[in-house]
Amino acid sequence: RFVFTEKILLYAGKSSISSPLVFITLGKIYYSIPKKQIHTKNKFLFEKRIIGEKQLILSRQSAGNFSFSTKATAVIKNNYTNYFNLPLISEHVPIHKTNLNDNDFGYFLAGLIEGDGWFGTKELHIIFSENDISLAYYIKKKIGYGHIYKIKNKKAVRYICKNKKGMSIILSLINGKLVSTPKYNQLIKHNYNINFNYEILPPSNTLTLDNYWLAGFTQADGCFHISIIKSKTHKTGVSVRLEFSIKQKDVIPLNLLYNSIKMGNLSYYTKSDISCYKSTGFKTAAILLNYFDKFNLFAGKYVSYLKFRKVYLMITKGKHLEDKGIIKIKSITTKGSSETSTQEI
């Protein structure tokens, strides 16, 4: 019998998972299956099982060897990086680009739609939080068609395009730029190739950090989270964490993101049927900040990125180890947009 928690994490590195002991990472517990071994070496393992009415997804990308045995031992090696060894980013915030060309805007729009949009019969819907209303109007202006409606009893708006010419423009912008299958399947299901006389290219099933797709995807459901946590090992009594996360029902883009960055972890929640990519590593933060410096976000999410970026720069200088620095970080995270969530534990 397989006993499990409802959150499954990815771990990059060497590990040994054993029964009856368990693999413990970030406070989550995983029981092993007696008399069964799974071995992987430098490859991606994706295992899916159905247990009763619950679905369990195990995903792993290992930089070394992964073993699953019945021995009563559990060994995990963690490497910690001092702040003075962190990757550097520019002190200066790059110029915020708003006049994107069609290729860049197409990648951004594709990521945005795959994150929080859907295609109906000859129509497109995209949801925006109230902090991103200005982006909804920017999208409408760039496409030249569509309407924006306030969603009743929610802090959000909906962009809807039903105009045939507008839909043709949208198809031309995103065609060949989709990463995963759900939105592509919607286009095929509703006969967009026939109705618009357009060859719908299949999804690429790849994610790279050299275009605006991840910016659009993050704009939809990404979160920059700054935590100030009580610590007995820090002189200030607290430590600072930078967390980047994206939650989605479609796990494929999250797997691709993990494979592209090679850091972080991937969780699956059985009750809500939602997957989540999450990273609290400073090195991952540097990779993402360098990416968003080049392929910028918009509206409220852009403000969140700026706060995240400012705190990271303080960390590279060791300011997070000083009382004045902690006060400054608290000030940064509590002013302005509520998009950047701050947690003090």
Side-chain angles (χ1 to χ4, degrees):
R1 183 180 179 184
F2 189 84
V3 184
F4 62 98
T5 63
E6 293 184 355
K7 186 174 183 181
I8 305 302
L9 295 177
L10 284 169
Y11 175 77
K14 296 182 179 180
S15 60
S16 173
I17 306 175
S18 308
S19 173
L21 290 184
V22 296
F23 174 32
I24 303 175
T25 177
L26 299 181
K28 290 296 174 182
I29 302 176
Y30 305 83
Y31 290 83
S32 65
I33 305 173
K35 299 181 181 180
K36 182 173 182 179
Q37 294 184 338
I38 302 173
H39 297 280
T40 64
K41 184 175 182 180
N42 297 323
K43 64 181 181 180
F44 181 74
L45 169 66
F46 186 85
E47 181 174 350
K48 183 175 181 180
R49 297 178 183 160
I50 304 297
I51 304 176
E53 294 182 354
K54 292 188 176 181
Q55 176 176 290
L56 173 66
I57 296 180
L58 297 176
S59 302
R60 182 165 304 282
Q61 176 78 35
S62 178
N65 299 322
F66 170 79
S67 65
F68 198 135
S69 70
T70 58
K71 296 179 181 179
T73 59
V75 180
I76 300 173
K77 183 178 179 181
N78 292 316
N79 295 317
Y80 298 92
T81 304
N82 292 326
Y83 71 89
F84 48 80
N85 289 327
L86 293 176
L88 298 178
I89 64 172
S90 174
E91 290 276 348
H92 306 288
V93 178
I95 296 174
H96 186 259
K97 299 183 288 291
T98 57
N99 189 25
L100 304 184
N101 60 43
D102 285 351
N103 185 60
D104 288 343
F105 181 64
Y107 274 110
F108 181 87
L109 185 60
L112 183 66
I113 292 171
E114 292 198 82
D116 222 349
W118 57 273
F119 289 99
T121 304
K122 300 180 182 179
E123 62 185 278
L124 169 67
H125 294 235
I126 307 176
I127 306 298
F128 298 86
S129 71
E130 65 177 358
N131 292 317
D132 290 340
I133 290 177
S134 62
L135 175 61
Y137 283 98
Y138 172 77
I139 298 293
K140 176 186 175 183
K141 181 179 179 181
K142 288 285 290 184
I143 294 172
Y145 297 90
H147 299 279
I148 296 169
Y149 303 93
K150 178 75 172 65
I151 300 177
K152 188 177 181 180
N153 299 326
K154 290 188 177 181
K155 296 180 179 181
V157 298
R158 185 192 306 270
Y159 166 81
I160 303 176
C161 182
K162 296 183 179 181
N163 181 278
K164 187 171 183 178
K165 188 172 182 180
M167 292 301 296
S168 294
I169 292 173
I170 291 169
L171 286 177
S172 67
L173 286 167
I174 69 169
N175 198 30
K177 297 181 177 70
L178 294 176
V179 164
S180 191
T181 55
K183 302 306 181 287
Y184 170 79
N185 290 340
Q186 290 173 4
L187 293 172
I188 299 302
K189 175 184 176 181
H190 295 297
N191 298 314
Y192 276 70
N193 52 339
I194 298 173
N195 294 331
F196 292 90
N197 192 27
Y198 212 93
E199 180 187 0
I200 308 299
L201 298 177
S204 65
N205 200 35
T206 58
L207 192 161
T208 59
L209 301 181
D210 59 1
N211 59 58
Y212 267 90
W213 187 92
L214 180 58
F217 194 63
T218 300
Q219 188 79 49
D221 276 323
C223 179
F224 298 91
H225 188 84
I226 302 169
S227 298
I228 300 174
I229 303 170
K230 291 181 180 178
S231 172
K232 294 181 180 180
T233 60
H234 288 72
K235 183 177 66 174
T236 58
V238 296
S239 65
V240 179
R241 291 182 185 175
L242 298 179
E243 178 185 296
F244 174 81
S245 64
I246 302 180
K247 292 181 179 180
Q248 280 284 316
K249 281 187 174 293
D250 182 12
V251 71
I252 292 176
L254 303 182
N255 274 328
L256 293 173
L257 175 59
Y258 176 81
N259 289 336
S260 179
I261 296 178
K262 306 296 184 185
M263 287 182 279
N265 60 69
L266 186 64
S267 308
Y268 176 71
Y269 304 90
T270 56
K271 287 185 178 180
S272 56
D273 189 30
I274 289 178
S275 297
C276 176
Y277 170 83
K278 182 184 295 184
S279 174
T280 56
F282 291 149
K283 286 187 176 181
T284 310
I287 292 173
L288 292 168
L289 287 170
N290 279 316
Y291 168 81
F292 290 121
D293 277 356
K294 187 174 182 180
F295 303 101
N296 57 256
L297 298 160
F298 292 84
K301 201 75 69 176
Y302 178 69
V303 175
S304 299
Y305 141 84
L306 290 177
K307 292 182 177 183
F308 199 80
R309 190 182 196 281
K310 196 167 188 177
V311 173
Y312 179 81
L313 281 172
M314 292 181 65
I315 290 171
T316 62
K317 299 173 183 177
K319 300 294 184 182
H320 64 304
L321 303 177
E322 304 170 359
D323 290 330
K324 288 183 179 180
I326 295 298
I327 293 172
K328 178 66 175 177
I329 290 171
K330 288 181 179 179
S331 175
I332 291 170
T333 57
T334 54
K335 290 181 180 179
S337 172
S338 60
E339 276 287 314
T340 304
S341 55
T342 311
Q343 180 181 7
E344 185 171 355
I345 302 175

